[in-house]
Amino acid sequence: MSLESLREEVCRANKMLQQYGLVCLHSGNVSGLDRSTGRLVIKPSGVDYETLTPEDLVEVDLITGKILSGHLRPSVDLPHHLYIYRNMPGVGGIAHAHSDYATAWATVGRPIPLCLTEIADYFGAEIPCAPYVDNEGDNIGQAIIRYRNRAPAILLANHGAFTWGPTAIDAVKLAIALEDVAKKAFLACQLGKPLEIPLEEARKWYDKYHHGYGQIVPPRTPTTVSRGGSGPGA
Amino acid sequence: MSLESLREEVCRANKMLQQYGLVCLHSGNVSGLDRSTGRLVIKPSGVDYETLTPEDLVEVDLITGKILSGHLRPSVDLPHHLYIYRNMPGVGGIAHAHSDYATAWATVGRPIPLCLTEIADYFGAEIPCAPYVDNEGDNIGQAIIRYRNRAPAILLANHGAFTWGPTAIDAVKLAIALEDVAKKAFLACQLGKPLEIPLEEARKWYDKYHHGYGQIVPPRTPTTVSRGGSGPGA
Amino acid sequence: MSLESLREEVCRANKMLQQYGLVCLHSGNVSGLDRSTGRLVIKPSGVDYETLTPEDLVEVDLITGKILSGHLRPSVDLPHHLYIYRNMPGVGGIAHAHSDYATAWATVGRPIPLCLTEIADYFGAEIPCAPYVDNEGDNIGQAIIRYRNRAPAILLANHGAFTWGPTAIDAVKLAIALEDVAKKAFLACQLGKPLEIPLEEARKWYDKYHHGYGQIVPPRTPTTVSRGGSGPGA
Amino acid sequence: MSLESLREEVCRANKMLQQYGLVCLHSGNVSGLDRSTGRLVIKPSGVDYETLTPEDLVEVDLITGKILSGHLRPSVDLPHHLYIYRNMPGVGGIAHAHSDYATAWATVGRPIPLCLTEIADYFGAEIPCAPYVDNEGDNIGQAIIRYRNRAPAILLANHGAFTWGPTAIDAVKLAIALEDVAKKAFLACQLGKPLEIPLEEARKWYDKYHHGYGQIVPPRTPTTVSRGGSGPGA
């Protein structure tokens, strides 16, 4: 993928955070990485979503963490993005948000239980919650990595959530899905005790969703990336 | 009704799912059946609502379940739609969604109690909740059919809801009404114990709504279909 | 006021019900009365808010209840509007809705407590809740009239709410304010026990809001109608 | 800053109250003060946000409280704005709203606990709640001043909230952030007991947000005002 295409996709993914109501004012950020060149682009710090353009994004070298181009400062969360990319080889996009319901679960330190077929479809397991850490050094990155084999999403206590996937758009779609299931699971808790889905049942939904859902489209990069679809039940 | 008209109506009904906030990303689907030809049309799998056109819908034969035209794959929920049409002779439209509040009730396995005159108007009874089933074969269809004589809507535990009616638009209007009453009944439960309406009282509201409400319009097909109105209290 | 102006105002008031999210599909209705001619206009039954025009409204004689002009059937709630106008001499506009939070209070049969200065501003007292009645004859009208000296609004158990004022716009603004305070009082109940405001304190806010608030505008009809403003705190 | 620029900024800040859903009908108000001339401008009472223009704002003398220009009456909350400006030297903008979740906390008289990194970013401490006072004289102003050294925001029991900052835009952004964290903290309370962040941890987030966040921009007035950014986490 050209750098220009990457900038356009990551800009669109950032704007989706706002369009789907996942952020307040300037909060939240999405990045995307081109592994063939080792370059990532990320939202600049404190910039309005409405006026954000592909050119505003900050280009960063994955290995050195140095800014390669751009006149704006990158998101203060850049170190966490770098840490994830360096420690999860398959990841090409990361989204971070403090969306309302996901953050509510995080504020009481509870995982989101595997109680919806929609959670099974998208995540295949409960969404774990990492204990509180401060925002210094690699503390957030390390907290996330500890949970990397559970689901492509994690809650950070008192803080918010991260989601990741093959591309920036995939990551932001998981952020949208995470908030959606966080809300439904929250509502269910107000009515009683959510019924949990056994892991072996969740596997059925996950497999069908990732292999039988959506339209067959040719992968757009030489790497074979499953792009079967991005929403369950249709 | 011509196939072209059916495609237009079902496309509009699918878009209503999104306009009324009942779906997340690509989730949810609506189908419509022309019983005179035995052909139904349904949303393709994993397609954006914004770009959906009548031509994108997939045409399917009711008896054989075979795709008659269309270059896209149908919704993975097609088998459930077929099962309902085959077992409920009066149904000409079906809607499926994981809307927030209806799904919250389903996630704790509780029916929505008959506590609102609006529930009486639209559904005439409480909205039942079927136990969890997986998404293989006719499991979902069979779960629904067991409850067919209760109300034109059902919750599926851990999953979402189905509604049905004479046409696709009727079905999606019931999906909208279901989410509306699911929210109000949810809110009431947070304030105390909802007062229930006796069934014989509910009958009064249902009858008035189905016979004294709305404008007199000529039925649009030879079959006499009650189209007295689609919302209570006005 | 000319009949044409009345139709325009009542049409606008009806559309406000939808713009402010107080109705689902076709539910809800607003009417306005010109006491100098004894004619009222009301929303037709089961008509979409988007397409509603001043000409669609149904004109009715206050004394006889007969339809004076219009080719559409009036709202099924017309008898309740007539009953209120006949028994509350100062009322020139009535709004009915099943808005989410007001209806939640009504579904557990609880009044909305006098716990917000905004309730004091608009209503001067708690919002009472009348017990369930069916929709036959004057049952709803009679239930409302019993509470007429409390506040310009009432909840109807299991059903929804009515608000009234000098004009249709005043009535619909109170419907908007009612839903607003119903939501805040609901939320407060989830955090603890709402602090109540003593009636003598509420009187201060009510008086200031009704006499010191808003801009001085000439009354638009010979009858002196207080139109000091329609929202507190600004 | 010219008076014209101040009017434009304060008009925009008032409209943001509505755009972000913090007000109902005409409620709420924002003012801005130019300390070099001792003149402030404030929203007129009971005026629609949609039609509000910079010229509609009322210009008031900080020392005398007299109206300097404008044909409309000022907000009834003008005395509270004056009291704050006179007693908090660094303040150049004030916002008042009865936003849903902030007011819910105020209605039970509870502070919003320091349970979110976003609270640490913006406010550096829990948001206090002042006991109920009536709206006469300087009662509200005095209630606010008692809490001035805690956070740039305060809840008023049974009533709503005030926020303040260097400019009107800063004040309204804090009103937006206050409602955002009030909602998340509310939701967390429905799921369990929010984990609290120790004050010394909150200091880390506050410092990073106020010194390392956003873009470097030249201060726009001779007074050095930190304008590093207005939203955390990006």
Side-chain angles (χ1 to χ4, degrees):
Chain A
M1 182 189 291
S2 72
L3 183 63
E4 194 181 18
S5 300
L6 183 65
R7 283 184 177 275
E8 275 170 17
E9 175 171 351
V10 176
C11 183
R12 185 157 66 90
N14 272 287
K15 285 173 183 281
M16 284 172 73
L17 279 184
Q18 189 189 50
Q19 288 157 4
Y20 282 82
L22 305 191
V23 295
C24 173
L25 295 169
H26 309 150
S27 76
N29 43 74
V30 181
S31 69
L33 170 66
D34 181 348
R35 290 205 176 258
S36 67
T37 61
R39 296 182 171 203
L40 68 91
V41 296
I42 190 167
K43 179 165 172 281
S45 184
V47 165
D48 283 332
Y49 284 99
E50 289 87 351
T51 59
L52 188 70
T53 66
E55 294 71 39
D56 290 337
L57 297 173
V58 184
E59 188 188 347
V60 182
D61 184 88
L62 177 63
I63 306 299
T64 65
K66 286 206 179 141
I67 293 174
L68 297 173
S69 76
H71 56 292
L72 296 171
R73 298 204 294 185
S75 164
V76 293
D77 294 319
L78 172 62
H80 324 319
H81 289 250
L82 286 170
Y83 197 90
I84 296 172
Y85 286 129
R86 290 169 183 162
N87 288 279
M88 292 198 208
V91 172
I94 298 170
H96 171 49
H98 311 153
S99 59
D100 292 348
Y101 289 88
T103 303
W105 287 94
T107 304
V108 293
R110 288 175 64 178
I112 302 175
L114 178 44
C115 60
L116 290 160
T117 59
E118 196 176 332
I119 295 177
D121 284 335
Y122 282 116
F123 302 101
E126 71 168 24
I127 316 299
C129 182
Y132 169 81
V133 288
D134 64 27
N135 57 355
E136 297 184 354
D138 285 334
N139 290 353
I140 288 178
Q142 288 172 5
I144 292 170
I145 289 302
R146 256 175 232 124
Y147 293 84
R148 70 181 136 183
N149 294 322
R150 312 279 278 274
I154 192 169
L155 307 177
L156 297 173
N158 300 111
H159 182 170
F162 276 81
T163 50
W164 53 84
T167 69
I169 294 291
D170 291 324
V172 82
K173 283 190 171 177
L174 284 178
I176 294 165
L178 174 63
E179 179 64 5
D180 193 61
V181 300
K183 180 174 183 183
K184 287 169 188 164
F186 169 93
L187 295 176
C189 284
Q190 311 309 307
L191 289 172
K193 190 166 167 41
L195 307 168
E196 300 214 17
I197 298 175
L199 257 178
E200 61 273 21
E201 285 295 311
R203 177 58 49 189
K204 292 184 195 174
W205 294 84
Y206 186 85
D207 286 347
K208 187 165 209 172
Y209 177 61
H210 282 79
H211 298 108
Y213 180 86
Q215 305 301 324
I216 312 294
V217 290
R220 75 187 160 165
T221 64
T223 324
T224 303
V225 175
S226 164
R227 303 192 69 247
S230 305
Chain B
M1 181 189 290
S2 72
L3 182 62
E4 194 181 17
S5 301
L6 183 65
R7 282 182 178 275
E8 275 170 16
E9 175 172 351
V10 176
C11 182
R12 185 157 66 91
N14 272 287
K15 286 171 182 281
M16 285 173 73
L17 279 184
Q18 189 190 50
Q19 288 157 3
Y20 282 81
L22 306 190
V23 294
C24 174
L25 295 170
H26 310 150
S27 76
N29 43 75
V30 181
S31 70
L33 170 65
D34 181 349
R35 289 206 176 259
S36 68
T37 61
R39 294 181 173 205
L40 67 90
V41 296
I42 190 166
K43 180 164 172 281
S45 185
V47 166
D48 282 334
Y49 283 99
E50 289 85 352
T51 59
L52 188 71
T53 66
E55 294 70 40
D56 290 337
L57 297 173
V58 183
E59 188 188 348
V60 182
D61 185 89
L62 176 63
I63 306 300
T64 65
K66 286 205 180 143
I67 293 173
L68 297 173
S69 76
H71 56 293
L72 296 170
R73 298 203 295 185
S75 163
V76 293
D77 294 319
L78 172 62
H80 325 318
H81 288 250
L82 286 170
Y83 197 89
I84 296 171
Y85 286 129
R86 288 170 183 160
N87 288 279
M88 293 197 207
V91 171
I94 298 170
H96 171 49
H98 311 152
S99 58
D100 292 348
Y101 289 88
T103 303
W105 287 93
T107 304
V108 292
R110 288 175 64 178
I112 301 175
L114 178 44
C115 61
L116 290 159
T117 59
E118 196 176 331
I119 296 178
D121 284 337
Y122 282 116
F123 301 101
E126 71 167 26
I127 316 299
C129 182
Y132 170 80
V133 287
D134 65 27
N135 57 356
E136 297 184 354
D138 285 333
N139 290 354
I140 287 178
Q142 288 172 6
I144 292 170
I145 289 302
R146 259 176 228 122
Y147 292 84
R148 70 181 136 183
N149 295 322
R150 312 280 280 273
I154 192 169
L155 307 177
L156 296 174
N158 300 110
H159 182 171
F162 276 81
T163 52
W164 52 85
T167 69
I169 294 291
D170 292 325
V172 81
K173 284 189 171 179
L174 284 178
I176 294 164
L178 174 63
E179 180 64 4
D180 193 62
V181 300
K183 180 175 183 182
K184 287 169 187 165
F186 169 93
L187 296 175
C189 284
Q190 310 310 308
L191 289 172
K193 191 168 166 41
L195 306 169
E196 299 215 16
I197 299 174
L199 257 178
E200 60 274 19
E201 285 295 310
R203 178 58 51 188
K204 292 184 195 175
W205 294 84
Y206 186 85
D207 287 348
K208 187 166 209 170
Y209 177 61
H210 282 80
H211 298 108
Y213 180 86
Q215 305 301 325
I216 313 293
V217 290
R220 75 183 162 171
T221 64
T223 325
T224 303
V225 175
S226 164
R227 304 193 69 244
S230 305
Chain C
M1 183 189 289
S2 73
L3 183 62
E4 195 180 17
S5 301
L6 183 65
R7 282 183 178 275
E8 275 170 16
E9 175 172 350
V10 176
C11 183
R12 185 158 64 92
N14 271 288
K15 285 172 182 281
M16 284 172 72
L17 280 184
Q18 190 190 47
Q19 287 157 3
Y20 282 82
L22 306 190
V23 294
C24 174
L25 295 171
H26 310 150
S27 77
N29 43 74
V30 182
S31 70
L33 171 65
D34 181 350
R35 288 207 177 259
S36 68
T37 61
R39 295 182 172 203
L40 67 91
V41 297
I42 190 167
K43 178 164 172 281
S45 184
V47 166
D48 282 334
Y49 283 99
E50 288 86 353
T51 60
L52 188 71
T53 66
E55 295 70 41
D56 289 337
L57 297 173
V58 184
E59 188 190 347
V60 182
D61 184 90
L62 176 64
I63 306 300
T64 64
K66 286 206 178 140
I67 292 172
L68 297 173
S69 77
H71 57 291
L72 296 171
R73 299 203 294 183
S75 163
V76 293
D77 294 319
L78 172 62
H80 325 318
H81 288 249
L82 286 169
Y83 197 89
I84 296 172
Y85 285 128
R86 288 169 184 162
N87 288 279
M88 292 198 207
V91 172
I94 298 169
H96 171 50
H98 310 154
S99 58
D100 292 348
Y101 288 88
T103 303
W105 287 94
T107 303
V108 292
R110 289 176 64 178
I112 301 175
L114 178 44
C115 59
L116 290 160
T117 58
E118 196 175 332
I119 296 178
D121 284 336
Y122 282 115
F123 301 101
E126 71 167 27
I127 316 298
C129 181
Y132 170 80
V133 289
D134 65 28
N135 57 355
E136 296 184 355
D138 286 332
N139 289 353
I140 287 178
Q142 288 173 6
I144 292 170
I145 290 301
R146 257 175 230 124
Y147 292 83
R148 70 181 136 184
N149 295 323
R150 311 279 280 273
I154 192 168
L155 308 177
L156 297 172
N158 300 110
H159 182 174
F162 275 81
T163 51
W164 52 85
T167 70
I169 295 291
D170 292 325
V172 82
K173 283 189 172 179
L174 285 178
I176 294 164
L178 175 63
E179 180 65 4
D180 193 61
V181 299
K183 180 175 183 182
K184 287 169 188 165
F186 169 92
L187 295 175
C189 284
Q190 310 311 307
L191 288 173
K193 191 168 166 40
L195 306 168
E196 300 215 15
I197 298 174
L199 257 179
E200 61 274 19
E201 284 295 311
R203 177 57 50 188
K204 291 183 195 175
W205 294 84
Y206 186 84
D207 286 349
K208 187 165 209 171
Y209 177 61
H210 282 80
H211 298 108
Y213 180 87
Q215 305 301 324
I216 313 293
V217 291
R220 75 183 163 172
T221 64
T223 325
T224 304
V225 174
S226 163
R227 305 194 67 246
S230 305
Chain D
M1 183 188 290
S2 73
L3 182 61
E4 195 181 17
S5 301
L6 184 65
R7 282 183 178 277
E8 275 169 17
E9 175 172 350
V10 176
C11 183
R12 184 157 65 91
N14 271 287
K15 285 173 182 281
M16 283 172 74
L17 279 184
Q18 190 190 49
Q19 287 157 4
Y20 282 82
L22 305 190
V23 295
C24 174
L25 294 169
H26 309 150
S27 77
N29 43 74
V30 182
S31 69
L33 169 66
D34 181 349
R35 289 207 177 257
S36 68
T37 61
R39 296 183 171 202
L40 67 91
V41 296
I42 190 168
K43 179 164 173 280
S45 184
V47 166
D48 282 334
Y49 284 98
E50 288 86 353
T51 60
L52 188 71
T53 66
E55 294 72 39
D56 289 337
L57 297 174
V58 184
E59 188 190 347
V60 181
D61 185 90
L62 176 64
I63 306 299
T64 64
K66 286 205 179 141
I67 293 173
L68 297 172
S69 77
H71 57 291
L72 296 171
R73 300 202 294 184
S75 163
V76 294
D77 294 319
L78 171 62
H80 324 319
H81 289 249
L82 286 170
Y83 197 90
I84 296 171
Y85 285 128
R86 289 170 183 160
N87 288 279
M88 292 197 207
V91 172
I94 299 169
H96 171 49
H98 311 154
S99 58
D100 291 348
Y101 288 88
T103 303
W105 287 94
T107 303
V108 293
R110 289 175 64 178
I112 302 175
L114 178 45
C115 59
L116 289 160
T117 58
E118 195 176 332
I119 296 179
D121 284 336
Y122 282 116
F123 301 102
E126 71 168 25
I127 316 298
C129 181
Y132 170 80
V133 288
D134 65 27
N135 58 355
E136 297 183 355
D138 285 334
N139 290 352
I140 288 177
Q142 289 172 6
I144 292 170
I145 289 302
R146 256 175 232 125
Y147 293 83
R148 70 181 135 183
N149 295 322
R150 311 279 280 274
I154 192 170
L155 308 177
L156 296 173
N158 299 112
H159 182 171
F162 276 81
T163 51
W164 52 85
T167 70
I169 295 291
D170 291 325
V172 81
K173 283 190 172 178
L174 285 178
I176 293 164
L178 175 63
E179 180 64 5
D180 193 62
V181 299
K183 180 174 183 183
K184 287 169 188 164
F186 169 93
L187 295 175
C189 284
Q190 310 310 307
L191 288 173
K193 191 166 166 40
L195 307 169
E196 300 215 15
I197 298 174
L199 257 178
E200 62 273 19
E201 285 295 310
R203 178 57 51 190
K204 292 184 195 173
W205 294 84
Y206 186 85
D207 287 348
K208 185 165 210 171
Y209 177 61
H210 282 79
H211 298 108
Y213 180 85
Q215 304 303 323
I216 312 293
V217 291
R220 75 184 162 171
T221 64
T223 325
T224 304
V225 174
S226 163
R227 305 193 68 246
S230 304

